[in-house]
Every structure is written in structure tokens, then in C-alpha cells.
Amino acid sequence: MTTDQHCDVAIIGGGPVGLALALAMRGSGLNIHVLEARKAENAGSDPRALALSYGSRLLLDRLGVWHDIAQVSPIKTIHISQKHALGRAVLRAAELDVPELGYVLPYPALHNALQQALHADGISYQTGAAVTQLLSETDGARISYQHDGVEHVLSAHLAVVADGGKLLETSHPPEITDYGQSALVTHITCQFPKADTAFERFTTQGPVALLPYKDGYELVWTASHEQAQQMLQWDDATFLARLHEHFGDRVGSFINVGTRSCFPLRLRRAPDTTLPHTVLLGNAAQTLHPVAGQGFNMGLRDAWELAQAMLACAPEALGSATMLEDYRKSRRLDRNAGIRFTDGLVRMFSNDLPLLSGGRAASLSMLDCLPLAKKFIAKRMMFGANG
Ligand SMILES: Cc1cc2nc3c(=O)[nH]c(=O)nc-3n(C[C@H](O)[C@H](O)[C@H](O)COP(=O)(O)OP(=O)(O)OC[C@H]3O[C@@H](n4cnc5c(N)ncnc54)[C@H](O)[C@@H]3O)c2cc1C
């Protein structure tokens, strides 16, 4: 059986970026419909932690959800170093005139707060609704989805694809750089945790990050896919000992490790082409390596800018080629800068070429000594290239 509906804006994917967009549009008078494939009971199972920038905190504040996010730990210092080599840089909130550089929280804590705000506002948000097809036509978008075994068709002036990237992967293939790496994520405790301090350590097998969270750290340990699979199998004692060997002694020995999960890492960049009445957002537009914790932060800026473009346009121009081109132009600089920055970091730091090792040490030391360079990089990480 098929049932037909119509709305102004259909958001495909109720991940954090899709939900943030829906919230940014509340009070607009537009009829907005969010379709999320996961069933409500599975929504809180994502094991990753996110480092949110100070700029994202300000946007979440404007969306009215910041104070409802439970369980956030602040980052006031970021310590950057490389294994077996000289050079280090330290970014401190106090030197950059912000109260905190960022915050660490579990993906589900952010997602829950966004979901609850949507429910409170009565925005239409359907879980268990898996989109199977999107047709971008000259007079609007047609979306087919399955819900409770029933096929539905939803037409919209604008379809926002915020599904993480699968739906259009075959019809509009993205540019993909496979880093040959996976990220193992878990929670760890250690002997000497340093309050509010995050560590980013570059090693030839990939970066390892310790993000301060509650009694310990959220660990993001990158390695080749094969190594990461082995790391999942190690018993806890072996895991903790190998981590100590790999990360060094900055926080003493590691004491406990939580459940471990793995994510394959790729740079995925959707083509910069225009599809009528359709726009890609968040990970669907660009999936970044988590080396600098930029993916969601950039997706949130995508959502905020798209909401501003929709709110500024006349109702009959919603989803028009002009509106979409204006939005894409407004995001181009930030998007390209974010992609270059994270990709450049991975390429520069994840190898053992001796010539690059010297360059890396020099650039970390220079960054540490030059307040203006430090400010520039930290601002980019906190607010993106559009400032
Ligand atoms: C290990 C790791 C660590 C990370 N750390 C950070 C960090 O510290 N800071 C940071 O900013 N970013 C980080 N990121 C990136 C961040 O997780 C993503 O950028 C963010 O989750 C993107 O949100 P999204 O809503 O665009 O996509 P997603 O989170 O992928 O959500 C997409 C949603 O769409 C739904 N969906 C999929 N297909 C369909 C369909 N056909 N129909 C309907 N719904 C569908 C999915 O169920 C999901 O709910 C990290 C990523 C990884 C892998």
C-alpha cells in the first residue's frame, strides 16, 4: 500500500545534523518533516564521543538545547605532540579569550537533547522511516520511504539529505580518499588524569586522541584496519599496556578500559553539483577524518547556514536553484578549508618519512611559539573559516 503526503522541507536522516536543522527552523511556519531510519529504541546506541567546539556550543545555545545536554566535560587545554620526535604545541582557552576550547560528550547525549527539543516543539519526526529513493525533479523532490511495512511517498519543495551519505552514493558518487585506517573508540581511566586537558598525539600509524570525560578519557586510537581488528580482540590488560607503550607516560598508566568499537575512516566529499530541490548536509556532504574533531562541528555550521538561507528566502523560492546556489556559495570556503585541514594533518603526520618528521617538529614548535598562528588555528577549529 502507498500513501502520499506533502511538506515544505523533508529532512532525510535524524542524526544530530538533521535534527539541528529542524530545530533551527522552528517558528518559521514551514511544514517540516524529519524521516529517520533507526527505530526510536535504537537511537541511543552510537558508541562515539564527540568533541564540540566552543563555536558549536554557541550555536546549540541559540537552538535552545545546550543547557539540556547532560554529561558534558570541558576542554580548556589541548596538548599536541608526536611520538618519537621533538616538537609540541599547547593551546589554552585563557590565551585565546574563550572560557573553554570545547566540550566532550557522548553522541547519544547530544542526540537525546536534540530529539527532546523537537518533541517539545511538535516538529514532525518519524523514526523507523527508511528512505529508499529520492527523485529530484524540476517541480520538487519526491521521497519514497518504508514505515511499519507500508510504502509512503512524500513530496517536498526541498529535500535535505542528512543521512550520512548512503542514499545518493550510487547515483552521485562522492570523491573518496581511503586512509586505510580505522578508529578504535572506548572510555579509559588512568593514574594521573589532567583536568580539562585533551591530548592529540601523532604517530606513524595514525593519531591517538584522549578527550577528557568524567573520571577519565574518551580514547580515539587510529590504526590500520587489520591492527584495529586485533586491538578489539586484546584482553583488557594487554590493551591497557599497549596503549601506555603507544601513548607514553603523560597521564601515567592506564587502569580500566570500557567497551571497544571500531569505525573505518575515509574522506568522503559529495560532488559540488546542483540537484533540483535537493541539498546535502553534514556527513552526507563531507565525511572527515576525526583527527581534529571537526565533522559534527562543520555539519552544525552547515545546518545553521542552511536554516538562515531558508528563513531569508521568499516562500515561493524555497528549494529554488538560486536559493541552493547561495547556500552552497556560503559554505564553500569553510567546507574546503575543513577538508584541506583534516586531510593535510592526516597526510603530514601519519607516515614515517624522515624529511617530514623534521618539518612536523618544526611546525609544532613554531605553532607553540607564535601566538598569532596559534590564534588563527584555534579560531578555525572553534568557529570554522567563515568566522
Ligand atoms: C570515531 C569518530 C569520532 C568522531 N569524533 C568527532 C568529534 O570529536 N567531533 C566532531 O565534530 N565530529 C566527530 N566525528 C564526526 C561526527 O560523528 C559526524 O560528523 C556526525 O555524526 C555527522 O552527523 P550527521 O547527522 O551528518 O550524520 P550521522 O551521524 O551519520 O546521522 C545520519 C542519520 O541518518 C539516518 N539514516 C541513514 N540512512 C537513512 C535513510 N535511508 N533514511 C532515513 N534515515 C537514514 C541514520 O540512521 C542516522 O541517524 C567523529 C566520527 C567518528 C567516526
Side-chain angles (χ1 to χ4, degrees):
M1 194 175 80
T2 304
T3 55
D4 280 7
Q5 304 151 277
H6 177 78
C7 66
D8 293 313
V9 181
I11 302 177
I12 302 170
V17 172
L19 296 189
L21 174 68
L23 277 180
M25 293 303 295
R26 68 183 152 191
S28 63
L30 293 172
N31 175 3
I32 295 176
H33 207 94
V34 185
L35 300 168
E36 166 55 43
R38 275 189 281 203
K39 296 211 161 121
E41 59 272 23
N42 300 332
S45 56
D46 198 300
R48 68 197 113 157
L50 299 175
L52 297 190
S53 67
Y54 181 65
S56 290
R57 179 224 163 117
L58 298 180
L59 289 182
L60 291 169
D61 236 343
R62 289 195 195 178
L63 296 181
V65 291
W66 179 252
H67 289 290
D68 296 325
I69 300 179
Q71 311 159 337
V72 175
S73 294
I75 302 175
K76 295 191 178 179
T77 305
I78 303 178
H79 187 286
I80 310 163
S81 61
Q82 50 173 346
K83 189 178 173 186
H84 296 322
L86 294 171
R88 66 138 180 74
V90 182
L91 306 179
R92 291 186 187 84
E95 290 172 5
L96 299 157
D97 306 324
V98 287
E100 281 103 15
L101 293 168
Y103 309 86
V104 182
L105 79 175
Y107 178 111
L110 172 67
H111 197 249
N112 284 343
L114 292 164
Q115 275 192 120
Q116 271 163 24
L118 271 198
H119 288 315
D121 259 302
I123 296 171
S124 163
Y125 171 47
Q126 215 173 346
T127 51
V131 173
T132 49
Q133 190 182 43
L134 166 64
L135 295 176
S136 305
E137 296 170 340
T138 49
D139 59 344
R142 276 171 69 79
I143 296 137
S144 308
Y145 69 96
Q146 294 271 342
H147 185 249
D148 276 345
V150 178
E151 185 161 333
H152 298 260
V153 176
L154 177 65
S155 58
H157 294 303
L158 179 61
V160 180
V161 183
D163 70 326
K166 282 249 162 61
L167 189 63
L168 298 180
E169 203 162 51
T170 313
S171 57
H172 295 84
E175 253 175 58
I176 292 183
T177 304
D178 189 342
Y179 294 116
Q181 292 179 345
S182 288
L184 182 148
V185 299
T186 187
H187 182 77
I188 47 161
T189 58
C190 61
Q191 234 179 338
F192 307 119
K194 305 259 187 314
D196 309 336
T197 300
F199 294 91
E200 179 89 48
R201 189 153 172 78
F202 292 102
T203 80
T204 52
Q205 79 174 43
V208 53
L210 261 57
L211 306 172
Y213 188 63
K214 289 192 168 171
D215 61 339
Y217 291 95
E218 293 297 318
L219 170 71
V220 186
W221 185 350
T222 41
S224 69
H225 301 306
E226 300 73 35
Q227 280 170 318
Q229 286 308 314
Q230 286 168 13
M231 284 150 62
L232 285 176
Q233 307 302 326
W234 291 340
D235 61 58
D236 287 1
T238 309
F239 185 89
L240 294 165
R242 297 271 173 91
L243 176 62
H244 192 201
E245 225 172 270
H246 188 65
F247 179 75
D249 209 29
R250 286 203 162 77
V251 292
S253 356
F254 294 100
I255 298 169
N256 280 310
V257 53
T259 310
R260 291 168 241 167
S261 310
C262 245
F263 291 84
L265 302 179
R266 303 184 301 171
L267 165 63
R268 242 184 111 275
R269 181 192 180 125
D272 203 11
T273 48
T274 325
L275 288 171
H277 298 274
T278 302
V279 63
L280 278 67
L281 207 63
N283 265 26
Q286 66 277 319
T287 305
L288 307 179
H289 191 291
V291 58
Q294 290 294 299
F296 170 71
N297 292 304
M298 178 166 293
L300 182 60
R301 297 196 291 273
D302 284 351
W304 182 259
E305 292 287 334
L306 180 58
Q308 304 320 302
M310 287 198 265
L311 293 169
C313 83
E316 62 280 7
L318 184 69
S320 65
T322 313
M323 189 216 109
L324 294 177
E325 181 53 24
D326 287 351
Y327 163 71
R328 286 217 323 280
K329 266 194 203 146
S330 75
R331 293 300 301 138
R332 200 162 285 148
L333 174 69
D334 189 27
R335 179 180 189 231
N336 289 339
I339 290 173
R340 274 200 305 271
F341 178 58
T342 51
D343 187 51
L345 279 179
V346 180
R347 287 175 195 277
M348 182 167 171
F349 283 96
S350 297
N351 63 68
D352 47 13
L353 299 173
L355 268 179
L356 276 186
S357 172
R360 289 190 294 248
S363 37
L364 281 178
S365 305
M366 260 163 61
L367 177 63
D368 206 42
C369 301
L370 298 174
L372 282 179
K374 222 188 238 191
K375 224 170 194 162
F376 177 80
I377 299 266
K379 277 198 156 167
R380 277 282 170 101
M381 288 172 67
M382 286 189 287
F383 302 109
N386 290 348

